[in-house]
Amino acid sequence: MDIARLQRTKPFMDKRFGMFIHWGIYAVESAGEWIRNNRNITIEDYQPNFDCFTADQYDPKKWAKLAKEAGMKYAVLTTKHHDGFCLFDSQYTDYKATNTPAGRDLVKEYVEAFRAEGLMVGFYYSLLDWHHPDFPAYADMHHPMRGNEAYKDKEKDKDFSRYTEYMYNQVKELLTNYGKIDIMWFDFHYAEMTGEKWEATKLVKMIREINPDIIIDDRLGGDIKVDDPVYYAGDYGSPEQMIPAGGVVDYKGNPIPWETCMTLNDHWGYVADDINYKTPKNVIRMLVECTSKGGNLILNVGPDARGNIPEKSVEILKEVGKWMRANGESIYGCGISSIPKPEWGRITENEDYIYLHLIDANTVCFAIEGLKDKVKFATRLSDGSKINMEKPWNYTSFLEKDPLFIHLPNYNTMDDIDTVIKLYKK
Ligand code: GLC
């Protein structure tokens, strides 16, 4: 087990809930951040997105307040996505926000706003770059110009080391121009485009020299599940659009840090007519599930080209925030319980308390094995009211073991999303 990694990631893993922000000129196209790939769009045909990106209503203070209100404790913004467009004022490219009608360094304002709200600040940075002239196009499986004969000849003039140098320089800019950054979220590796192809050791050395505490995801390549991972393997697993059945464990079965990234509708980048949103109930239950399995949830929003987070996303996040204000204690700093998952819900735990999450409960009386004589009191977390722990008179006729009982006063007062019972350990 990598103890240094566990220590380094502890403050981050205690936060449990973060905001992912996918924002770039693809918001103008309103068809997702992979649109150049999906429709084989050339840089030239993609240019109107650059020319129409106004960001004129961008107010990251609003975003940060919303994240905080939702109960999120950190954020990660796409500083550059696969299309190569940079939201920050990089000295190494002209393909950046300062040269669009937006005319400002959009990363700077984000960092300031989120930091001011006390959230951890993270940067997403795409390893793929469909704009850089030295990134393979014709022969690359994801590039918008893959297999396009017109691009075949150009490959021989390319020098990939110029691209890795560009990346190195940009990441250095990101980590030195905006104060101390908490999270670096690289995306992603595939086929031979992995690990040292990105000059990952050199890159991560530079990053850790600038900030030894920074948390790095696992998408540069390598394998974080082995005993002694390669230097650049990263700090945490990053399952996408799914929550692994048993959480994320190493090859010996020990839990390791992880974070599920999830869209709120069906896209990362802004898509006006994608209204297939998850419900607040769904979001909260995902968060509870991640927490009970020792993982984080980073939930995405895709602001539009003028800088607004879609109204529906705002609405959902505010609803999530209501539950979090009443029940967040069962999430932050909590993790896997010593008590196995019960049939009526999930359990989270910290040093002093065990939290029962009643999400599939059909009665008001619950038996929990393995806790007898270990619990002093029980309260309902949302209002602090005392919970009866009396045993039903004839339970021995139906249960072999002698469990702890929790008896809620009234089924109608149960929270449709998740009623949390707080058990005080002896
Ligand atoms: C993927 C996609 C990307 C998205 C990311 C988020 O790998 O390429 O568009 O940013 O996942 O996890």
Side-chain angles (χ1 to χ4, degrees):
M1 199 177 317
D2 189 337
I3 302 293
R5 179 174 70 194
L6 283 180
Q7 283 171 345
R8 182 164 59 234
T9 50
K10 172 103 176 52
F12 166 66
M13 293 308 296
D14 280 349
K15 306 274 185 273
R16 288 292 179 233
F17 193 26
M19 175 182 268
F20 216 165
I21 309 168
H22 275 69
W23 197 37
I25 55 175
Y26 43 78
V28 178
E29 190 84 36
S30 180
E33 75 288 352
W34 272 75
I35 192 58
R36 273 201 62 204
N37 162 294
N38 296 341
R39 296 193 197 145
N40 307 103
I41 300 173
T42 61
I43 290 178
E44 297 73 28
D45 287 343
Y46 194 63
Q47 186 61 24
N49 297 305
F50 186 95
D51 296 335
C52 298
F53 185 65
T54 63
D56 60 315
Q57 293 182 343
Y58 174 50
D59 181 1
K61 290 195 196 94
K62 269 200 207 157
W63 296 6
K65 282 208 165 65
L66 176 66
K68 194 168 180 183
E69 193 180 337
M72 292 159 156
K73 300 277 187 191
Y74 64 96
V76 176
L77 169 72
T78 51
T79 58
K80 178 193 90 167
H81 209 275
H82 307 335
D83 64 2
F85 174 75
C86 298
L87 288 179
F88 60 109
D89 189 12
S90 170
Q91 60 166 298
Y92 301 101
T93 184
D94 292 330
Y95 206 51
K96 56 183 176 182
T98 36
N99 293 335
T100 65
R104 333 146 41 184
D105 184 328
L106 303 168
V107 167
K108 184 168 178 282
E109 295 172 48
Y110 151 79
V111 172
E112 286 163 2
F114 279 74
R115 216 178 257 146
E117 289 293 344
L119 281 89
M120 282 176 106
V121 172
F123 288 158
Y124 168 108
Y125 184 88
S126 172
L127 300 167
L128 290 70
D129 194 316
W130 302 331
H131 184 268
H132 196 282
D134 287 301
F135 199 91
Y138 174 80
D140 182 84
M141 65 193 277
H142 294 302
H143 199 281
M145 297 301 112
R146 63 194 173 280
N148 183 331
E149 291 299 321
Y151 287 75
K152 195 171 180 178
D153 266 4
K154 297 182 188 163
E155 296 293 291
K156 61 179 187 327
D157 305 322
K158 292 185 177 179
D159 177 355
F160 197 69
S161 69
R162 281 196 295 245
Y163 176 63
T164 49
E165 191 187 335
Y166 173 76
M167 258 198 330
Y168 181 96
N169 287 334
Q170 284 207 320
V171 171
K172 196 167 182 181
E173 277 184 319
L174 284 169
L175 297 182
T176 46
N177 292 350
Y178 305 94
K180 193 173 176 191
I181 298 307
D182 303 299
I183 307 149
M184 198 67 219
W185 219 105
F186 289 110
D187 190 34
F188 61 85
H189 65 87
Y190 55 101
E192 79 286 358
M193 308 297 267
T194 185
E196 292 307 357
K197 180 80 184 179
W198 308 121
E199 296 194 37
T201 300
K202 187 178 158 202
L203 187 65
V204 173
K205 259 202 182 114
M206 174 267 288
I207 295 171
R208 294 223 189 274
E209 252 167 48
I210 295 173
N211 177 5
D213 304 324
I214 201 163
I215 310 296
I216 308 175
D217 75 340
D218 66 342
R219 293 194 179 183
L220 275 164
D223 184 352
I224 54 169
K225 292 167 147 188
V226 295
D227 269 350
D228 193 13
V230 288
Y231 182 68
Y232 55 77
D235 294 318
Y236 64 94
S238 58
E240 182 167 331
Q241 303 287 40
M242 56 96 73
I243 303 172
V248 180
V249 295
D250 64 18
Y251 291 115
K252 291 190 171 142
N254 301 309
I256 57 172
W258 60 277
E259 170 199 66
T260 275
C261 52
M262 185 69 68
T263 51
L264 198 46
N265 52 7
D266 287 336
H267 291 86
W268 300 101
Y270 179 71
V271 178
D273 57 7
D274 178 358
I275 51 167
N276 197 19
Y277 282 97
K278 294 166 183 71
T279 60
K281 181 200 248 181
N282 189 193
V283 169
I284 289 158
R285 290 184 177 186
M286 284 195 291
L287 177 59
V288 170
E289 181 175 346
C290 288
T291 304
S292 74
K293 293 176 174 179
N296 287 8
L297 175 69
I298 184 161
L299 186 67
N300 184 70
V301 293
D304 66 25
R306 301 190 66 186
N308 291 307
I309 293 177
E311 208 35 60
K312 188 70 191 167
S313 302
V314 173
E315 216 177 274
I316 296 165
L317 292 183
K318 286 189 172 172
E319 274 305 305
V320 169
K322 279 188 201 155
W323 186 91
M324 287 298 279
R325 271 190 293 288
N327 298 290
E329 183 190 310
S330 66
I331 302 291
Y332 309 124
C334 293
I336 304 171
S337 173
S338 49
I339 309 299
K341 181 191 176 312
E343 61 161 348
W344 38 258
R346 299 191 180 274
I347 303 182
T348 58
E349 184 168 349
N350 61 26
E351 225 168 276
D352 300 320
Y353 310 103
I354 296 172
Y355 300 93
L356 312 178
H357 296 261
L358 309 182
I359 53 187
D360 187 17
N362 300 313
T363 62
V364 288
C365 187
F366 305 89
I368 309 124
E369 279 168 11
L371 280 179
K372 199 178 159 278
D373 304 328
K374 290 193 183 142
V375 173
K376 278 190 294 199
F377 313 108
T379 57
R380 175 167 37 203
L381 179 55
S382 61
D383 64 356
S385 60
K386 186 179 157 192
I387 295 288
N388 181 355
M389 294 196 288
E390 264 170 45
K391 298 175 194 297
W393 67 276
N394 61 347
Y395 77 93
T396 47
S397 318
F398 306 103
L399 298 171
E400 279 166 28
K401 298 196 180 125
D402 190 9
L404 177 87
F405 279 94
I406 291 296
H407 204 121
L408 272 79
N410 184 344
Y411 191 81
N412 296 323
T413 61
M414 303 264 288
D415 184 332
D416 179 48
I417 295 177
D418 172 1
T419 306
V420 183
I421 306 300
K422 174 176 178 178
L423 304 182
Y424 292 65
K425 295 188 202 172
K426 267 189 189 158

